[in-house]
Amino acid sequence: MTELVPAARPGQLAARTRSAADDWPTEALDFATELADHYPAGDPYPGLVGAWIARQKTKNTRTTYVRQYRVWDTYTRERSTHPLQARFPLAEAFSRHLETAPTMRPVKGGARGQKAPIGPPRSDAARANLLSACSSFYTYAVRAHAAEFDPFDLVARPELDQDGSATQGSTEEESARLLAAAYEDGPRSYALLLTMYTVALRLDSALGARVEDLGTDKGHRILNVRLKGGRRKPKVVPPATGHAIDVYLDGRTTGPLFQTRTGNPLDPAYVWRLVRRLAAKAGIANAATFHPHVLKHDAVTHALDAPDAKLHHVQDFADHKDPRTTRRYDRRRGRYDNSPGYRIAARIAERLPGGDDD
């Protein structure tokens, strides 16, 4: 992707010619290089995709977009169509293809990192996100005058239940058991899970934090974190959480807040395995599907459960730009407890076969 250094003439120093790709994040450069292997030399498409990935503000977004867009790029190449020449019928066919296409999953007993298309098809939400990522690329391409239009503009997105969620929440008692299991696992596990829960952090925000981001403001311990979309925000660190962090850091003043023994940030895949192992140890019913975002999901739900909870306070705690997002959590939390099904079943129970048995 980088231009060659021109040969120096006698009496001159070689001047290195730079390209825009030199300033791209690793995710963008690697993906553009990967795509360049599939397209003719000089084709602007790999560089265009790399530039689109590079403009995303966070590593998590860039990584997600690479994974999602790769599915579309592969689909077009398998159908002998250049992505910049794709039209609406192909994009619509791709949307239908996603409804049944298996997802990539690690191969048991295979080489490290080896994956195969053996997983279940994507959920409605996952398909909607993938189609939106493809549309985002074409919006960028149109603005860059590299494409005439967005072929996904007319593709229908899956209808989603705005009040529903695939995340299976936990009770406060289950959250307490999970944190107790983390405490027994060690200072790092305890500090990480307690921070994600009491500060309401996404995994990428927690793993992107540095020790230098800790501070104080008007007597409050704070952590200046990078949120979804790239914006920065100072968040309150409760005393118990601050103590757990201090015990874990043991005097360390620099580097990733949560790091490996070698000083590198923790790997997200490791944290996924960690929380599932601890959820199983804590006896949580949905341990097999437990994932890091459940911690933030539960924190928001439990905050709304407080008798004196104020929606705007919880909205700020959850980092929701739109109050409607927080209100969805508010509606979800009583969705099961207040189900009329419980009441009608109780009223009719005595009239059912065996209903009068003691």
Side-chain angles (χ1 to χ4, degrees):
M1 299 300 296
T2 303
E3 296 176 27
L4 297 176
V5 178
R9 291 181 298 201
Q12 286 186 332
L13 294 175
R16 184 178 186 277
T17 302
R18 292 180 58 83
S19 75
D22 291 328
D23 298 316
W24 287 353
T26 302
E27 302 82 20
L29 185 59
D30 288 350
F31 191 40
T33 302
E34 174 189 326
L35 294 179
D37 291 337
H38 300 289
Y39 294 89
D43 190 320
Y45 168 70
L48 185 69
V49 175
W52 167 65
I53 294 295
R55 75 189 303 265
Q56 309 308 318
K57 295 180 180 179
T58 67
K59 179 178 181 179
N60 183 65
T61 301
R62 292 191 295 270
T63 302
T64 300
Y65 273 21
V66 166
R67 184 179 68 249
Q68 293 174 330
Y69 189 79
R70 183 185 285 120
V71 181
W72 164 246
D73 177 80
T74 302
Y75 181 85
T76 58
R77 284 189 285 106
E78 289 176 346
R79 284 148 185 81
S80 302
T81 301
H82 193 289
L84 294 180
Q85 301 300 320
R87 297 294 184 262
F88 167 66
L90 186 65
E92 189 172 47
F94 175 66
S95 178
R96 292 194 298 269
H97 164 77
L98 293 178
E99 296 176 6
T100 58
T103 50
M104 302 296 287
R105 288 291 186 270
V107 177
K108 291 185 178 180
R112 182 179 179 85
Q114 182 181 359
K115 293 185 177 182
I118 54 177
R122 292 169 178 80
S123 66
D124 287 350
R127 285 189 288 114
N129 287 336
L130 196 154
L131 294 172
S132 293
C134 295
S135 184
S136 172
F137 165 71
Y138 283 100
T139 298
Y140 178 79
V142 169
R143 290 176 179 174
H145 305 290
E148 297 179 11
F149 56 86
D150 173 11
F152 287 90
D153 189 41
L154 297 177
V155 175
R157 306 295 194 268
E159 292 189 13
L160 304 178
D161 178 3
Q162 295 301 320
D163 290 338
S165 173
T167 301
Q168 296 174 297
S170 311
T171 65
E172 286 194 33
E173 172 59 30
E174 288 177 320
S175 294
R177 296 205 309 267
L178 176 68
L179 293 171
Y183 181 85
E184 294 177 3
D185 197 62
R188 185 178 67 186
S189 298
Y190 184 54
L192 173 61
L193 268 65
L194 190 61
T195 299
M196 293 180 66
Y197 177 71
T198 62
V199 187
L201 291 183
R202 293 166 56 92
L203 179 59
D204 56 312
S205 294
L207 299 190
R210 297 183 61 82
V211 181
E212 295 91 330
D213 295 329
L214 289 166
T216 57
D217 187 3
K218 298 179 181 179
H220 297 280
R221 188 87 177 269
I222 59 104
L223 178 64
N224 190 20
V225 297
R226 188 176 296 280
L227 303 177
K228 182 180 181 180
R231 63 189 175 103
R232 282 268 182 187
K233 178 183 176 181
K235 302 201 66 177
V236 169
V237 178
T241 305
H243 177 69
I245 291 174
D246 291 339
V247 170
Y248 161 60
L249 292 178
D250 192 26
R252 182 163 59 87
T253 58
T254 61
L257 183 56
F258 302 106
Q259 67 177 25
T260 64
R261 290 189 181 91
T262 57
N264 295 316
L266 290 182
D267 178 35
Y270 163 79
V271 181
W272 274 69
R273 294 192 299 270
L274 172 69
V275 296
R276 287 196 175 173
R277 175 170 60 82
L278 294 178
K281 184 178 181 181
I284 294 178
N286 60 324
T289 58
F290 202 94
H291 53 85
H293 189 64
V294 175
L295 289 158
K296 178 177 179 179
H297 177 278
D298 288 343
V300 176
T301 304
H302 298 164
L304 287 167
D305 282 338
D308 58 347
K310 290 182 170 55
L311 195 67
H312 65 284
H313 288 164
V314 179
Q315 177 190 346
D316 183 64
F317 171 65
D319 311 312
H320 294 155
K321 288 184 177 181
D322 191 332
R324 289 175 295 183
T325 305
T326 315
R327 284 199 288 269
R328 290 187 194 118
Y329 278 82
D330 199 25
R331 291 193 292 268
R332 287 173 196 157
R333 67 191 179 98
R335 201 175 196 182
Y336 298 139
D337 293 342
N338 299 326
S339 171
Y342 285 125
R343 290 188 287 277
I344 64 172
R347 291 200 303 270
I348 203 172
E350 62 184 25
R351 287 173 254 177
L352 297 176
D356 57 353
D357 291 348
D358 292 329

